[in-house]
Amino acid sequence: MSGASGDEWVVGPDGAKYWGRYGAAGLLVVSPEREVLLQHRALWSHFGGTWGMPGGARHEHESAVEAAVREAGEEAGVPPALLEVRFSTVLDLGYWSYTTVVADAAERFAPVVSDPESIELRWIAIDRVTELPLHPRFAEGWSGLAARL
């Protein structure tokens, strides 16, 4: 770990809760077959039962890319050696931020549900993503992300 754990809620001025004392980051992995790796979130988690990308809280002094790759490895068994980061986008609320890191995988790999945060992991064709019940924030940003893929 790069510093103190960021596993903590941040409460915004309007009372909305966001996970990650130092912000959060997620990894959207794109396969050579133009699929993205999505995570079906555990029912007990924030917006549980929805689909999004693996990700989570950044630790103190950890970059967004480091956090996204670490979280994707912990939650989905994403092998860092296969990744080439393409771009990232940031939602910055001033008191909290979320960075979406988009990376190409050199080859399609078998994801692994390796912690209780996932019900399922699945490769989904880019043009089929909106058929799933998406995490609300992921749904808001999906059209912009898809246009860049």
PDB file of all heavy atoms in Angstrom, residues 125-149:
ATOM      1  N   ALA A 125     -19.847  -6.965 -24.885  1.00  0.00           N
ATOM      2  CA  ALA A 125     -19.612  -6.208 -26.116  1.00  0.00           C
ATOM      3  C   ALA A 125     -19.964  -4.743 -25.869  1.00  0.00           C
ATOM      4  O   ALA A 125     -20.963  -4.441 -25.200  1.00  0.00           O
ATOM      5  CB  ALA A 125     -20.451  -6.773 -27.256  1.00  0.00           C
ATOM      6  N   ILE A 126     -19.151  -3.850 -26.373  1.00  0.00           N
ATOM      7  CA  ILE A 126     -19.343  -2.419 -26.139  1.00  0.00           C
ATOM      8  C   ILE A 126     -20.752  -1.970 -26.508  1.00  0.00           C
ATOM      9  O   ILE A 126     -21.361  -1.174 -25.796  1.00  0.00           O
ATOM     10  CB  ILE A 126     -18.263  -1.606 -26.895  1.00  0.00           C
ATOM     11  CG1 ILE A 126     -16.901  -1.841 -26.225  1.00  0.00           C
ATOM     12  CG2 ILE A 126     -18.610  -0.133 -26.953  1.00  0.00           C
ATOM     13  CD1 ILE A 126     -15.712  -1.289 -26.980  1.00  0.00           C
ATOM     14  N   ASP A 127     -21.301  -2.494 -27.587  1.00  0.00           N
ATOM     15  CA  ASP A 127     -22.640  -2.061 -28.020  1.00  0.00           C
ATOM     16  C   ASP A 127     -23.771  -2.727 -27.221  1.00  0.00           C
ATOM     17  O   ASP A 127     -24.947  -2.461 -27.478  1.00  0.00           O
ATOM     18  CB  ASP A 127     -22.825  -2.291 -29.516  1.00  0.00           C
ATOM     19  CG  ASP A 127     -22.737  -3.750 -29.939  1.00  0.00           C
ATOM     20  OD1 ASP A 127     -22.379  -4.611 -29.096  1.00  0.00           O
ATOM     21  OD2 ASP A 127     -23.020  -4.025 -31.103  1.00  0.00           O
ATOM     22  N   ARG A 128     -23.444  -3.563 -26.222  1.00  0.00           N
ATOM     23  CA  ARG A 128     -24.473  -4.244 -25.417  1.00  0.00           C
ATOM     24  C   ARG A 128     -24.469  -3.784 -23.952  1.00  0.00           C
ATOM     25  O   ARG A 128     -25.289  -4.246 -23.156  1.00  0.00           O
ATOM     26  CB  ARG A 128     -24.281  -5.764 -25.451  1.00  0.00           C
ATOM     27  CG  ARG A 128     -24.078  -6.366 -26.818  1.00  0.00           C
ATOM     28  CD  ARG A 128     -25.245  -6.911 -27.571  1.00  0.00           C
ATOM     29  NE  ARG A 128     -26.356  -7.433 -26.885  1.00  0.00           N
ATOM     30  CZ  ARG A 128     -26.726  -8.708 -26.844  1.00  0.00           C
ATOM     31  NH1 ARG A 128     -25.981  -9.620 -27.434  1.00  0.00           N
ATOM     32  NH2 ARG A 128     -27.828  -9.074 -26.244  1.00  0.00           N
ATOM     33  N   VAL A 129     -23.546  -2.906 -23.594  1.00  0.00           N
ATOM     34  CA  VAL A 129     -23.387  -2.486 -22.199  1.00  0.00           C
ATOM     35  C   VAL A 129     -24.678  -1.912 -21.629  1.00  0.00           C
ATOM     36  O   VAL A 129     -25.069  -2.222 -20.500  1.00  0.00           O
ATOM     37  CB  VAL A 129     -22.212  -1.483 -22.058  1.00  0.00           C
ATOM     38  CG1 VAL A 129     -22.219  -0.808 -20.697  1.00  0.00           C
ATOM     39  CG2 VAL A 129     -20.890  -2.200 -22.310  1.00  0.00           C
ATOM     40  N   THR A 130     -25.376  -1.101 -22.399  1.00  0.00           N
ATOM     41  CA  THR A 130     -26.577  -0.436 -21.869  1.00  0.00           C
ATOM     42  C   THR A 130     -27.755  -1.388 -21.665  1.00  0.00           C
ATOM     43  O   THR A 130     -28.787  -0.982 -21.120  1.00  0.00           O
ATOM     44  CB  THR A 130     -27.015   0.735 -22.772  1.00  0.00           C
ATOM     45  OG1 THR A 130     -27.245   0.243 -24.093  1.00  0.00           O
ATOM     46  CG2 THR A 130     -25.951   1.828 -22.792  1.00  0.00           C
ATOM     47  N   GLU A 131     -27.615  -2.639 -22.056  1.00  0.00           N
ATOM     48  CA  GLU A 131     -28.663  -3.628 -21.803  1.00  0.00           C
ATOM     49  C   GLU A 131     -28.660  -4.096 -20.348  1.00  0.00           C
ATOM     50  O   GLU A 131     -29.610  -4.729 -19.904  1.00  0.00           O
ATOM     51  CB  GLU A 131     -28.487  -4.828 -22.741  1.00  0.00           C
ATOM     52  CG  GLU A 131     -28.672  -4.477 -24.203  1.00  0.00           C
ATOM     53  CD  GLU A 131     -28.354  -5.638 -25.136  1.00  0.00           C
ATOM     54  OE1 GLU A 131     -28.188  -6.789 -24.644  1.00  0.00           O
ATOM     55  OE2 GLU A 131     -28.263  -5.396 -26.352  1.00  0.00           O
ATOM     56  N   LEU A 132     -27.590  -3.792 -19.617  1.00  0.00           N
ATOM     57  CA  LEU A 132     -27.468  -4.196 -18.216  1.00  0.00           C
ATOM     58  C   LEU A 132     -27.939  -3.071 -17.295  1.00  0.00           C
ATOM     59  O   LEU A 132     -27.878  -1.898 -17.662  1.00  0.00           O
ATOM     60  CB  LEU A 132     -26.001  -4.507 -17.896  1.00  0.00           C
ATOM     61  CG  LEU A 132     -25.361  -5.648 -18.663  1.00  0.00           C
ATOM     62  CD1 LEU A 132     -23.871  -5.690 -18.392  1.00  0.00           C
ATOM     63  CD2 LEU A 132     -26.009  -6.967 -18.280  1.00  0.00           C
ATOM     64  N   PRO A 133     -28.382  -3.412 -16.080  1.00  0.00           N
ATOM     65  CA  PRO A 133     -28.689  -2.373 -15.096  1.00  0.00           C
ATOM     66  C   PRO A 133     -27.371  -1.802 -14.564  1.00  0.00           C
ATOM     67  O   PRO A 133     -26.667  -2.462 -13.795  1.00  0.00           O
ATOM     68  CB  PRO A 133     -29.471  -3.113 -14.013  1.00  0.00           C
ATOM     69  CG  PRO A 133     -29.036  -4.541 -14.126  1.00  0.00           C
ATOM     70  CD  PRO A 133     -28.677  -4.756 -15.579  1.00  0.00           C
ATOM     71  N   LEU A 134     -27.021  -0.623 -15.017  1.00  0.00           N
ATOM     72  CA  LEU A 134     -25.713  -0.041 -14.716  1.00  0.00           C
ATOM     73  C   LEU A 134     -25.730   0.780 -13.427  1.00  0.00           C
ATOM     74  O   LEU A 134     -26.749   1.391 -13.068  1.00  0.00           O
ATOM     75  CB  LEU A 134     -25.265   0.853 -15.873  1.00  0.00           C
ATOM     76  CG  LEU A 134     -25.117   0.180 -17.236  1.00  0.00           C
ATOM     77  CD1 LEU A 134     -24.744   1.204 -18.298  1.00  0.00           C
ATOM     78  CD2 LEU A 134     -24.111  -0.964 -17.185  1.00  0.00           C
ATOM     79  N   HIS A 135     -24.574   0.817 -12.773  1.00  0.00           N
ATOM     80  CA  HIS A 135     -24.365   1.725 -11.646  1.00  0.00           C
ATOM     81  C   HIS A 135     -24.713   3.127 -12.161  1.00  0.00           C
ATOM     82  O   HIS A 135     -24.296   3.506 -13.268  1.00  0.00           O
ATOM     83  CB  HIS A 135     -22.900   1.652 -11.210  1.00  0.00           C
ATOM     84  CG  HIS A 135     -22.548   2.501 -10.047  1.00  0.00           C
ATOM     85  ND1 HIS A 135     -22.474   3.863 -10.124  1.00  0.00           N
ATOM     86  CD2 HIS A 135     -22.255   2.165  -8.766  1.00  0.00           C
ATOM     87  CE1 HIS A 135     -22.132   4.345  -8.948  1.00  0.00           C
ATOM     88  NE2 HIS A 135     -21.999   3.335  -8.107  1.00  0.00           N
ATOM     89  N   PRO A 136     -25.476   3.913 -11.416  1.00  0.00           N
ATOM     90  CA  PRO A 136     -25.946   5.211 -11.943  1.00  0.00           C
ATOM     91  C   PRO A 136     -24.838   6.129 -12.449  1.00  0.00           C
ATOM     92  O   PRO A 136     -24.982   6.749 -13.502  1.00  0.00           O
ATOM     93  CB  PRO A 136     -26.669   5.843 -10.758  1.00  0.00           C
ATOM     94  CG  PRO A 136     -27.041   4.709  -9.883  1.00  0.00           C
ATOM     95  CD  PRO A 136     -25.997   3.643 -10.089  1.00  0.00           C
ATOM     96  N   ARG A 137     -23.724   6.236 -11.743  1.00  0.00           N
ATOM     97  CA  ARG A 137     -22.645   7.128 -12.198  1.00  0.00           C
ATOM     98  C   ARG A 137     -21.963   6.564 -13.439  1.00  0.00           C
ATOM     99  O   ARG A 137     -21.570   7.310 -14.329  1.00  0.00           O
ATOM    100  CB  ARG A 137     -21.611   7.356 -11.097  1.00  0.00           C
ATOM    101  CG  ARG A 137     -22.140   7.947  -9.804  1.00  0.00           C
ATOM    102  CD  ARG A 137     -22.725   9.353  -9.872  1.00  0.00           C
ATOM    103  NE  ARG A 137     -24.089   9.431 -10.328  1.00  0.00           N
ATOM    104  CZ  ARG A 137     -25.190   9.133  -9.623  1.00  0.00           C
ATOM    105  NH1 ARG A 137     -25.099   8.681  -8.416  1.00  0.00           N
ATOM    106  NH2 ARG A 137     -26.388   9.272 -10.142  1.00  0.00           N
ATOM    107  N   PHE A 138     -21.827   5.235 -13.514  1.00  0.00           N
ATOM    108  CA  PHE A 138     -21.246   4.621 -14.707  1.00  0.00           C
ATOM    109  C   PHE A 138     -22.174   4.857 -15.893  1.00  0.00           C
ATOM    110  O   PHE A 138     -21.727   5.200 -16.992  1.00  0.00           O
ATOM    111  CB  PHE A 138     -21.011   3.128 -14.473  1.00  0.00           C
ATOM    112  CG  PHE A 138     -20.373   2.415 -15.633  1.00  0.00           C
ATOM    113  CD1 PHE A 138     -19.095   2.718 -16.045  1.00  0.00           C
ATOM    114  CD2 PHE A 138     -21.057   1.420 -16.317  1.00  0.00           C
ATOM    115  CE1 PHE A 138     -18.499   2.058 -17.113  1.00  0.00           C
ATOM    116  CE2 PHE A 138     -20.476   0.752 -17.388  1.00  0.00           C
ATOM    117  CZ  PHE A 138     -19.199   1.077 -17.780  1.00  0.00           C
ATOM    118  N   ALA A 139     -23.463   4.722 -15.677  1.00  0.00           N
ATOM    119  CA  ALA A 139     -24.448   4.944 -16.742  1.00  0.00           C
ATOM    120  C   ALA A 139     -24.363   6.375 -17.270  1.00  0.00           C
ATOM    121  O   ALA A 139     -24.447   6.602 -18.481  1.00  0.00           O
ATOM    122  CB  ALA A 139     -25.858   4.646 -16.235  1.00  0.00           C
ATOM    123  N   GLU A 140     -24.191   7.334 -16.363  1.00  0.00           N
ATOM    124  CA  GLU A 140     -24.096   8.741 -16.778  1.00  0.00           C
ATOM    125  C   GLU A 140     -22.904   8.992 -17.691  1.00  0.00           C
ATOM    126  O   GLU A 140     -22.980   9.799 -18.603  1.00  0.00           O
ATOM    127  CB  GLU A 140     -23.984   9.643 -15.546  1.00  0.00           C
ATOM    128  CG  GLU A 140     -25.258   9.771 -14.757  1.00  0.00           C
ATOM    129  CD  GLU A 140     -25.059  10.521 -13.446  1.00  0.00           C
ATOM    130  OE1 GLU A 140     -23.937  11.019 -13.169  1.00  0.00           O
ATOM    131  OE2 GLU A 140     -26.034  10.598 -12.677  1.00  0.00           O
ATOM    132  N   GLY A 141     -21.802   8.325 -17.438  1.00  0.00           N
ATOM    133  CA  GLY A 141     -20.596   8.562 -18.223  1.00  0.00           C
ATOM    134  C   GLY A 141     -20.392   7.618 -19.383  1.00  0.00           C
ATOM    135  O   GLY A 141     -19.476   7.816 -20.191  1.00  0.00           O
ATOM    136  N   TRP A 142     -21.237   6.586 -19.497  1.00  0.00           N
ATOM    137  CA  TRP A 142     -20.986   5.550 -20.487  1.00  0.00           C
ATOM    138  C   TRP A 142     -20.961   6.071 -21.918  1.00  0.00           C
ATOM    139  O   TRP A 142     -20.077   5.706 -22.694  1.00  0.00           O
ATOM    140  CB  TRP A 142     -21.975   4.399 -20.360  1.00  0.00           C
ATOM    141  CG  TRP A 142     -21.788   3.401 -21.471  1.00  0.00           C
ATOM    142  CD1 TRP A 142     -22.656   3.121 -22.481  1.00  0.00           C
ATOM    143  CD2 TRP A 142     -20.621   2.631 -21.743  1.00  0.00           C
ATOM    144  NE1 TRP A 142     -22.120   2.195 -23.327  1.00  0.00           N
ATOM    145  CE2 TRP A 142     -20.850   1.876 -22.897  1.00  0.00           C
ATOM    146  CE3 TRP A 142     -19.382   2.483 -21.101  1.00  0.00           C
ATOM    147  CZ2 TRP A 142     -19.904   1.007 -23.439  1.00  0.00           C
ATOM    148  CZ3 TRP A 142     -18.446   1.619 -21.645  1.00  0.00           C
ATOM    149  CH2 TRP A 142     -18.707   0.893 -22.803  1.00  0.00           C
ATOM    150  N   SER A 143     -21.896   6.901 -22.322  1.00  0.00           N
ATOM    151  CA  SER A 143     -21.935   7.329 -23.732  1.00  0.00           C
ATOM    152  C   SER A 143     -20.652   8.071 -24.108  1.00  0.00           C
ATOM    153  O   SER A 143     -20.106   7.859 -25.199  1.00  0.00           O
ATOM    154  CB  SER A 143     -23.164   8.173 -24.030  1.00  0.00           C
ATOM    155  OG  SER A 143     -23.135   9.375 -23.312  1.00  0.00           O
ATOM    156  N   GLY A 144     -20.131   8.889 -23.219  1.00  0.00           N
ATOM    157  CA  GLY A 144     -18.867   9.579 -23.493  1.00  0.00           C
ATOM    158  C   GLY A 144     -17.701   8.621 -23.575  1.00  0.00           C
ATOM    159  O   GLY A 144     -16.817   8.763 -24.429  1.00  0.00           O
ATOM    160  N   LEU A 145     -17.686   7.640 -22.686  1.00  0.00           N
ATOM    161  CA  LEU A 145     -16.606   6.635 -22.720  1.00  0.00           C
ATOM    162  C   LEU A 145     -16.705   5.798 -23.993  1.00  0.00           C
ATOM    163  O   LEU A 145     -15.700   5.591 -24.684  1.00  0.00           O
ATOM    164  CB  LEU A 145     -16.696   5.713 -21.500  1.00  0.00           C
ATOM    165  CG  LEU A 145     -16.306   6.305 -20.163  1.00  0.00           C
ATOM    166  CD1 LEU A 145     -16.689   5.364 -19.030  1.00  0.00           C
ATOM    167  CD2 LEU A 145     -14.814   6.618 -20.125  1.00  0.00           C
ATOM    168  N   ALA A 146     -17.912   5.325 -24.286  1.00  0.00           N
ATOM    169  CA  ALA A 146     -18.102   4.462 -25.465  1.00  0.00           C
ATOM    170  C   ALA A 146     -17.672   5.171 -26.746  1.00  0.00           C
ATOM    171  O   ALA A 146     -17.109   4.545 -27.646  1.00  0.00           O
ATOM    172  CB  ALA A 146     -19.562   4.017 -25.553  1.00  0.00           C
ATOM    173  N   ALA A 147     -17.939   6.454 -26.823  1.00  0.00           N
ATOM    174  CA  ALA A 147     -17.561   7.211 -28.025  1.00  0.00           C
ATOM    175  C   ALA A 147     -16.044   7.254 -28.217  1.00  0.00           C
ATOM    176  O   ALA A 147     -15.569   7.381 -29.345  1.00  0.00           O
ATOM    177  CB  ALA A 147     -18.114   8.638 -27.931  1.00  0.00           C
ATOM    178  N   ARG A 148     -15.296   7.123 -27.135  1.00  0.00           N
ATOM    179  CA  ARG A 148     -13.829   7.165 -27.210  1.00  0.00           C
ATOM    180  C   ARG A 148     -13.199   5.793 -27.382  1.00  0.00           C
ATOM    181  O   ARG A 148     -11.988   5.680 -27.577  1.00  0.00           O
ATOM    182  CB  ARG A 148     -13.272   7.837 -25.968  1.00  0.00           C
ATOM    183  CG  ARG A 148     -13.681   9.308 -25.885  1.00  0.00           C
ATOM    184  CD  ARG A 148     -13.094   9.984 -24.697  1.00  0.00           C
ATOM    185  NE  ARG A 148     -11.636  10.134 -24.823  1.00  0.00           N
ATOM    186  CZ  ARG A 148     -10.877  10.675 -23.897  1.00  0.00           C
ATOM    187  NH1 ARG A 148     -11.404  11.124 -22.775  1.00  0.00           N
ATOM    188  NH2 ARG A 148      -9.561  10.775 -24.086  1.00  0.00           N
ATOM    189  N   LEU A 149     -14.024   4.759 -27.289  1.00  0.00           N
ATOM    190  CA  LEU A 149     -13.476   3.413 -27.441  1.00  0.00           C
ATOM    191  C   LEU A 149     -13.459   3.049 -28.899  1.00  0.00           C
ATOM    192  O   LEU A 149     -12.996   2.166 -29.405  1.00  0.00           O
ATOM    193  CB  LEU A 149     -14.304   2.399 -26.633  1.00  0.00           C
ATOM    194  CG  LEU A 149     -14.385   2.673 -25.130  1.00  0.00           C
ATOM    195  CD1 LEU A 149     -15.277   1.633 -24.457  1.00  0.00           C
ATOM    196  CD2 LEU A 149     -13.009   2.654 -24.497  1.00  0.00           C
TER     197      LEU A 149
END
